Amino acid sequence: MEKSKRKYKKTSCYLIYSVLGISTGILFRLSFPFLILMMVVGFLFLPKLMRNAEKSRYHQKRFEDINSYMEQLLYSFRKSKRILASLQDIKIQFKNKPMEKLIEKAEQHILNTYDSEGDTEFEALSMIEQEYPCVKLKTIHRFLLKVENLGGSFDKTIDLLLEDRSLWEQRQNHLYQEKKRKRNLVTVSIVMSILLCIVFVRILPADMDISKNIFVQSATVIMWFLDILVYAKVDEKISKDWLDSGELSSPEETVKRYKKVTEFDKKKELKKSCKYAFFLAVIAMICVMRHKKWAAGIAFTGIPFMLFQHRLDYRLAKKKLTEEIQREFPRWLMEMSLLLQSDSVQVSLFKSFEHAPEVLKPELEKMYAKLQKNPTAIEPYLEFMADFEIKGVSSAMKMLYSLSAGTGGNSENQITDILRRNQVMLDDAQKAVDRQSVASMYFLFGAPVVIGGAKLMLDMVVFFFCVFQGMGSYM
């Protein structure tokens, strides 16, 4: 049944494209070889477009499954306070879905594993995490493991985790709708640019017909190819994994970037830039002496860039590092909030280091070293990430100090407040990432206009050439 359904969809796509492609070719008055070439170009892209549609549906189903799993797991754990009982309770809700087999596998691992050196619950939950690589899923699992091992009051934390899940669901759905809207705009842009080119070719009088010109026909096929390429690029962005939270730099790149920003020596870097600029100036002068004007012009243009390249490099490195901190700090703060349920602030800081994001580890090392010298000082908290001036970091660290000093009142309320602030920060950081993801599609929206404009310009050049040629023969 499933195979016949897929075959029907595949056949329908090829038929629709054939009708659309042949109709467009006829409207452009393409000769038979160019019409065949145009059809072949489209047929090469169709499998990719169909795969994108399948991937989009697949990732949407996975998102729905893991979203429902996290919600039901938290509600069930609130009642049972046991991971195994919670898994058994929610399994029935995923009947005949991949998640059911995965929960069954995790459940059997907990029940039947006796010789494991590690934590069987941790290993069982890791099986689910491997199939659904999602930061929020890991956060919830770590929370459940900590509560099961240490106990304590956790109702408020579960409420906040449920709210966080709800915000995540809203963000992901909004992002998907925004991407679909951009794809629709790109589609309209492609259709309008093609129609404009068709109108120009069709309105010309018969004695000025340029549609059979080889350059015009070649440009039509190239435009068709480029427009399909643009659409495929936009479509690919919609088919991305919903669970993917974005690419982070490797640990080595993060450490290198952090050192570049924190150990930046302005005078030393300026000297380097001056050397590069002087070297380029010498090359420019040699080009002038040898009468190579184009090469000299390029070299002279590059001199100002070389003089300020150290500043540009520093700003780019700091911008990238700041973006990573904005994303990773709220996640580390969530880990800290869970550790604070059972440990002091300093012990929690020490325990959080092992699983802390790479971008935060250098500052955490500095902070912990300062606290060992003076455990009651506020300066280590205030100086944490002070060079980057990121909204929310300073207030969160002040709250941690207040909790450490015991001057902030009820500790449970303070932890809840930290979690609440963390939730807002994480939501803002992820929205910024989503905006960047959608912003990258704006260029693709303008691409069909540029492509269509280039095609029209070539058509006009051919048209005026024909006009002048006709005038010449008349004279």
Side-chain angles (χ1 to χ4, degrees):
M1 182 68 181
E2 188 67 28
K3 284 185 179 179
S4 61
K5 193 176 179 182
R6 285 185 180 179
K7 190 176 180 181
Y8 172 75
K9 284 183 178 178
K10 187 176 179 180
T11 306
S12 299
C13 286
Y14 277 97
L15 282 172
I16 291 168
Y17 172 74
S18 298
V19 172
L20 186 66
I22 292 170
S23 302
T24 306
I26 291 170
L27 288 171
F28 271 113
R29 296 173 178 160
L30 290 181
S31 60
F32 186 72
F34 282 100
L35 180 61
I36 294 297
L37 184 60
M38 190 174 85
M39 295 300 295
V40 169
V41 164
F43 284 136
L44 291 174
F45 277 95
L46 271 181
K48 180 180 175 62
L49 294 174
M50 286 188 282
R51 279 197 303 271
N52 284 346
E54 285 291 328
K55 281 169 64 178
S56 182
R57 285 191 291 270
Y58 170 73
H59 289 313
Q60 194 167 0
K61 286 178 182 177
R62 273 169 56 85
F63 170 75
E64 289 169 0
D65 284 347
I66 200 62
N67 185 41
S68 177
Y69 166 81
M70 290 190 291
E71 183 180 25
Q72 297 306 319
L73 185 65
L74 286 168
Y75 279 124
S76 182
F77 189 82
R78 173 180 272 166
K79 291 187 295 182
S80 66
K81 300 179 177 60
R82 304 297 299 175
I83 290 171
L84 177 59
S86 300
L87 291 172
Q88 291 171 334
D89 180 45
I90 67 172
K91 183 173 64 174
I92 190 67
Q93 299 176 42
F94 299 96
K95 196 169 180 63
N96 300 325
K97 290 184 177 181
M99 181 62 80
E100 183 189 20
K101 293 180 180 178
L102 203 54
I103 294 173
E104 176 69 28
K105 185 180 176 182
E107 179 190 333
Q108 291 303 315
H109 183 81
I110 295 171
L111 290 171
N112 301 323
T113 304
Y114 306 104
D115 56 349
S116 176
E117 295 180 2
D119 186 340
T120 53
E121 280 83 3
F122 173 79
E123 291 169 356
L125 295 178
S126 295
M127 292 175 183
I128 300 173
E129 291 168 12
Q130 285 172 7
E131 292 295 323
Y132 293 87
C134 175
V135 174
K136 295 201 177 297
L137 180 63
K138 288 184 179 181
T139 302
I140 289 171
H141 282 171
R142 298 299 172 271
F143 166 72
L144 300 185
L145 288 165
K146 280 182 171 56
V147 171
E148 185 164 293
N149 291 330
L150 304 172
S153 174
F154 57 85
D155 280 349
K156 287 184 179 180
T157 309
I158 283 185
D159 287 336
L160 287 168
L161 287 170
L162 285 167
E163 286 178 29
D164 186 52
R165 181 214 58 81
S166 179
L167 287 171
W168 178 61
E169 180 186 13
Q170 291 170 24
R171 278 198 313 271
Q172 293 299 90
N173 283 319
H174 177 72
L175 177 63
Y176 179 69
Q177 293 303 322
E178 275 295 298
K179 286 183 175 181
K180 277 184 70 176
R181 193 172 70 85
K182 290 291 182 293
R183 185 181 64 181
N184 292 339
L185 288 172
V186 168
T187 304
V188 170
S189 180
I190 289 171
V191 171
M192 293 305 294
S193 63
I194 289 174
L195 286 175
L196 194 62
C197 292
I198 289 172
V199 168
F200 181 78
V201 170
R202 304 285 295 191
I203 61 170
L204 295 176
D207 58 335
M208 291 293 177
D209 185 18
I210 61 169
S211 62
K212 298 301 180 184
N213 184 280
I214 190 170
F215 293 110
V216 173
Q217 299 226 341
S218 299
T220 301
V221 175
I222 292 169
M223 179 185 71
W224 185 258
F225 165 73
L226 292 175
D227 280 342
I228 294 176
L229 182 65
V230 168
Y231 182 85
K233 279 286 181 186
V234 175
D235 198 51
E236 189 178 8
K237 288 181 179 294
I238 294 177
S239 64
K240 293 279 186 182
D241 190 351
W242 288 38
L243 307 183
D244 183 19
S245 57
E247 235 179 88
L248 291 174
S249 304
S250 66
E252 294 78 17
E253 286 178 338
T254 300
V255 171
K256 184 180 177 182
R257 196 176 286 125
Y258 178 82
K259 286 182 177 178
K260 182 182 286 185
V261 172
T262 55
E263 298 173 9
F264 183 75
D265 187 334
K266 193 173 181 180
K267 289 183 179 179
K268 184 180 176 182
E269 294 299 324
L270 180 60
K271 285 180 182 178
K272 281 185 185 179
S273 294
C274 289
K275 286 179 183 177
Y276 296 148
F278 177 75
F279 177 71
L280 205 59
V282 170
I283 292 174
M285 292 304 296
I286 292 171
C287 291
V288 169
M289 290 167 66
R290 294 190 175 184
H291 305 288
K292 294 181 178 180
K293 295 180 180 179
W294 282 103
I298 293 169
F300 276 121
T301 305
I303 291 172
F305 174 77
M306 284 298 173
L307 278 172
F308 296 102
Q309 62 87 26
H310 63 290
R311 289 188 183 181
L312 293 170
D313 195 31
Y314 170 79
R315 286 176 183 174
L316 286 172
K318 189 173 182 179
K319 182 176 180 291
K320 180 68 176 175
L321 204 62
T322 302
E323 287 172 356
E324 284 201 30
I325 294 167
Q326 285 175 327
R327 291 177 60 185
E328 295 304 303
F329 178 76
R331 291 170 186 165
W332 170 79
L333 199 59
M334 173 66 80
E335 179 74 13
M336 273 293 295
S337 302
L338 298 176
L339 289 168
L340 286 168
Q341 301 273 355
S342 56
D343 297 310
S344 66
V345 173
Q346 290 192 35
V347 172
S348 297
L349 284 168
F350 180 75
K351 285 184 176 180
S352 74
F353 184 81
E354 184 182 354
H355 299 292
E358 287 296 325
V359 73
L360 301 183
K361 282 185 175 180
E363 290 287 323
L364 286 172
E365 282 180 344
K366 289 180 185 178
M367 182 182 181
Y368 197 70
K370 291 171 185 174
L371 285 172
Q372 282 182 316
K373 292 178 182 176
N374 190 354
T376 59
I378 191 175
E379 285 76 18
Y381 295 90
L382 297 179
E383 291 168 4
F384 182 79
M385 292 292 176
D387 293 337
F388 297 94
E389 299 176 354
I390 299 171
K391 180 186 174 183
V393 171
S394 178
S395 60
M397 298 311 292
K398 285 176 184 177
M399 192 169 287
L400 283 178
Y401 170 75
S402 176
L403 193 60
S404 173
T407 59
N410 187 288
S411 61
E412 186 181 351
N413 289 338
Q414 280 187 295
I415 293 169
T416 304
D417 198 16
I418 289 173
L419 281 168
R420 183 80 64 186
R421 286 169 182 255
N422 165 77
Q423 192 180 84
V424 173
M425 287 174 64
L426 190 56
D427 189 51
D428 289 343
Q430 196 55 52
K431 280 179 179 176
V433 174
D434 292 346
R435 282 194 294 272
Q436 287 182 352
S437 176
V438 174
S440 65
M441 299 175 77
Y442 276 106
F443 165 75
L444 294 171
F445 170 68
V449 178
V450 175
I451 295 165
K455 167 71 166 62
L456 278 173
M457 284 180 66
L458 185 137
D459 289 352
M460 287 179 183
V461 168
V462 172
F463 170 71
F464 284 120
F465 180 78
C466 291
V467 170
F468 292 138
Q469 195 177 41
M471 289 172 65
S473 61
Y474 178 76
M475 292 171 68

